[in-house]
Amino acid sequence: MIRFFAPLAALALLGGCGLQPIYAGGSNGTVARSLAQIDVAPIPGDEGWLMRNALSDRLGRGASGGGTQYRLDVVLDDQLEGLGLLTDDTIGRERRTLRARYQLVDLSTDTIIVDATAGSDAGIDVVGSEYATIAAEQTALENLTQDVADQIVVRLSRVLRDQGE
């Protein structure tokens, strides 16, 4: 009998812990509407183009039909370094690191709401084909961009949720 009631008791206690979903209310919720009001400033370079597109997709820009309340400024640092040295003094492994420093600016007061960093890295095998290595480096950049964009949006969601409370 205890085996049956123990999970129910745990569920009842979970409701009182204060956890709330970030996206409560779906696309009409406070956080989703606030995210849709963020304009991502242009970011230079190929990695900047990838990052701006990834952020715009995640923020749902234009979905609310509202105006722009915030501006997101992002500065990227993309590094590619050789790691593994083979017996013939060639590089056998590379590490690509993408770091982003970002600021969320409230346009009505021109104040910085968030000033933070996000980053990720990936390992790349250097193979005999230069084309394959370049393709792997590009794929790593695309994946890192998606990961860093996710980190930024989660942080912004938490801050905007806390402001809305």
Side-chain angles (χ1 to χ4, degrees):
M1 194 67 150
I2 291 176
R3 286 185 181 178
F4 178 72
F5 287 113
L8 293 177
L11 285 175
L13 291 174
L14 187 60
C17 72
L19 291 177
Q20 302 173 355
I22 286 182
Y23 295 108
S27 62
N28 293 322
T30 306
V31 173
R33 286 194 315 258
S34 295
L35 288 175
Q37 293 177 344
I38 298 174
D39 182 40
V40 182
I43 309 167
D46 291 340
E47 66 276 3
W49 180 82
L50 288 167
M51 179 62 72
R52 188 165 192 251
N53 285 341
L55 287 168
S56 295
D57 289 347
R58 284 161 177 74
L59 295 172
R61 185 75 185 127
S64 70
T68 300
Q69 182 177 351
Y70 306 100
R71 182 185 72 241
L72 182 62
D73 297 322
V74 180
V75 176
L76 295 177
D77 179 26
D78 179 27
Q79 299 289 324
L80 185 63
E81 64 179 325
L83 290 178
L85 200 57
L86 301 176
T87 56
D88 61 351
D89 289 333
T90 60
I91 294 174
R93 187 122 174 105
E94 295 177 333
R95 180 173 71 183
R96 186 161 212 157
T97 306
L98 183 65
R99 302 279 179 254
R101 171 143 191 236
Y102 59 97
Q103 294 180 329
L104 183 66
V105 180
D106 186 335
L107 295 176
S108 62
T109 60
D110 204 35
T111 58
I112 297 173
I113 299 170
V114 177
D115 186 357
T117 59
S120 190
D121 62 273
I124 302 163
D125 287 327
V126 177
V127 295
S129 167
E130 187 175 332
Y131 175 78
T133 302
I134 291 170
E137 291 170 354
Q138 182 63 28
T139 300
L141 177 61
E142 291 168 5
N143 292 337
L144 291 172
T145 301
Q146 300 294 321
D147 188 35
V148 173
D150 286 339
Q151 293 175 34
I152 292 172
V153 171
V154 167
R155 174 76 186 270
L156 296 178
S157 298
R158 287 193 314 237
V159 168
L160 293 172
R161 181 198 61 194
D162 292 345
Q163 273 190 336
E165 292 178 350

